[in-house]
Every structure is written in C-alpha cells, then in structure tokens.
Amino acid sequence: MIGFYNYTVWLTYLSFLSAVTGIIISLYGMGHPYIGMYCLMFSGLCDAFDGRVARTKKNRTETECKFGIQIDSLSDLVAFGILPVCIGIAMIISGPGLEGIPHIAFKKLHWVTVALVILIMLFYALTAMIRLAYFNVVEEERQKTEGGCRKTYVGLPVTASALVFPTILLIQYVTPMDVTPLYFLFMLLTAILFVSKISVKKPGLKGILIMVGFGLIEAILIALRYPHG
C-alpha cells in the first residue's frame, strides 16, 4: 500500500479518526455534542505529542518527513476546522444537554440568524484552512533559511480550539442560559485570531503538559455533567 504506517504517524492517524468519529456523532444524532467535544479534545491530545513522537525516529527519510507534515495539516483541518462546526450544529439542534436548560433549534430561529450562524461557520472553516496552508508554506521557507524548531507562531494555532470550545461548554455550569450563542461568538473570534498577525509563543513540554492537564480537568467536569442531560 502507498503511504507510511510506522509509529511516527500513528498519533496523527488517531487524531484524524477521532475527528471523523466526532463529526459523524455530532451530525447524525448517534450521541450528543458533548461526545463530539470529547473527540475534539482527544484529537488535541494526539496533536500535542505527534511531532515529538515523530522526531524520536532519527532515520526518517525526507519523504517520510514531508508526508508527516502533510497528514498533520490535513488531520488538523478536519479535527480543528470542521469538527467544531459540526459540534456547533449539534448544539443548535439538541441543545447543550443540561436538564432544564432551554435550547435553540434551527426551526425556531429567524432566517437572518440562521444565515449569520452559517456565515460564521463557513468563515471559521475557511480561516482554519488558510492558516494551515499559510503555515506550511512559511514553515517550509523558514526551515530552508533558519532550520531548527520555531519558537513563536504568527496567529493563533488551530489546535487551540481543543481548549477554547470545551471551556465554552463548561460555562453552562454557572449560567441558566443556553451557551450556544456564546459558542458561535467565540467561533467568530477564534477564526479572526487564526489569520491575525498576533505573536503566540510556542509552548515547550511543560506548557504542553499544563494544557493537557487543563484538558483532562475539562473532560472530567463535562463527564460529571453529561449523564444528567
């Protein structure tokens, strides 16, 4: 078969499969937006370590390295560009899933609101794609001139969505209102940050572990609330 299947790409493959699972669950009612959110966080966990795992193989060929870069971006587009959109759709249709919390449904929304929500989702997916493509081009050029690992990013990395959107869902703990509108507001803000020129420091291992720990706390809190939905 074409492609590569050694351990250096396993985490990327798992991230992609998790994202596709989350999309299916979110869109086809096999579960709940919360389950889609778990898939998003798992993809984020895989992405946090896939590069470090890949670099442990010192004898990777140039083709293997380029393949890894390509599948990482393709996986990230699905996991952090498309899956959050599908989770948002699931939230509109089924609500946040908390007992006693009224939720929004497409059929109850004015057509202007529906159009605005659709535009936000399209804009978010588009900016995620633009950012990933732009990063690949710029990173390839940087590697030729500077080499080594970069220390900062220009714009917010798309993987930040694995922490941003679960945090929005947790706000439901402290408010009787449906957080779905807030979800789409932050989707718009996040999309703008994807293509902005802000400088974001690349986290080291300590920073990654802190984010992973924060994500695990989010997962536990969501799990405690989800069965009551």
Side-chain angles (χ1 to χ4, degrees):
M1 296 187 294
I2 63 172
F4 297 95
Y5 303 95
N6 58 61
Y7 75 91
T8 63
V9 294
W10 290 353
L11 284 179
T12 305
Y13 288 163
L14 283 175
S15 175
F16 176 80
L17 292 174
S18 175
V20 174
T21 301
I23 290 171
I24 294 172
I25 289 174
S26 296
L27 293 184
Y28 291 97
M30 296 171 59
H32 190 275
Y34 278 27
I35 300 178
M37 199 67 77
Y38 277 123
C39 292
L40 175 63
M41 288 190 287
F42 182 75
S43 292
L45 178 64
C46 292
D47 185 80
F49 296 102
D50 60 356
R52 290 180 176 273
V53 170
R55 287 191 291 271
T56 61
K57 191 173 187 292
K58 302 301 182 182
N59 60 341
R60 281 193 303 165
T61 65
E62 184 178 354
T63 303
E64 286 179 306
C65 292
K66 290 183 176 180
F67 179 81
I69 292 172
Q70 292 299 319
I71 63 169
D72 184 65
S73 288
L74 292 170
S75 175
D76 285 354
L77 179 59
V78 176
F80 311 115
I82 305 303
L83 177 54
V85 170
C86 297
I87 293 172
I89 293 172
M91 289 180 68
I92 290 177
I93 295 173
S94 64
L98 302 186
E99 186 176 356
I101 302 297
H103 66 269
I104 300 171
F106 269 122
K107 63 182 179 180
K108 296 180 181 179
L109 295 177
H110 191 276
W111 70 269
V112 174
T113 305
V114 173
L116 179 60
V117 168
I118 292 174
L119 286 174
I120 290 174
M121 292 189 290
L122 290 175
F123 180 65
Y124 176 87
L126 178 63
T127 55
M129 182 190 70
I130 291 172
R131 175 184 171 70
L132 288 165
Y134 181 80
F135 175 80
N136 282 354
V137 172
V138 172
E139 179 63 16
E140 184 175 348
E141 294 175 351
R142 191 194 67 81
Q143 287 287 346
K144 292 179 180 178
T145 57
E146 300 177 13
C149 295
R150 65 168 50 247
K151 295 182 179 180
T152 59
Y153 294 110
V154 177
L156 183 71
V158 295
T159 52
S161 64
L163 288 177
V164 171
F165 296 120
T167 302
I168 300 302
L169 212 58
L170 288 176
I171 294 177
Q172 195 69 81
Y173 271 104
V174 295
T175 177
M177 302 300 294
D178 185 358
V179 297
T180 304
L182 188 64
Y183 182 92
F184 285 102
L185 174 61
F186 270 82
M187 178 172 283
L188 176 61
L189 295 175
T190 304
I192 294 172
L193 291 176
F194 283 164
V195 292
S196 69
K197 290 187 176 181
I198 63 170
S199 179
V200 179
K201 184 178 179 181
K202 182 179 180 180
L205 180 58
K206 182 179 179 180
I208 291 174
L209 292 177
I210 291 174
M211 288 188 289
V212 169
F214 183 71
L216 289 175
I217 293 173
E218 288 184 322
I220 293 171
L221 291 175
I222 291 174
L224 292 175
R225 175 56 74 176
Y226 173 71
H228 301 288

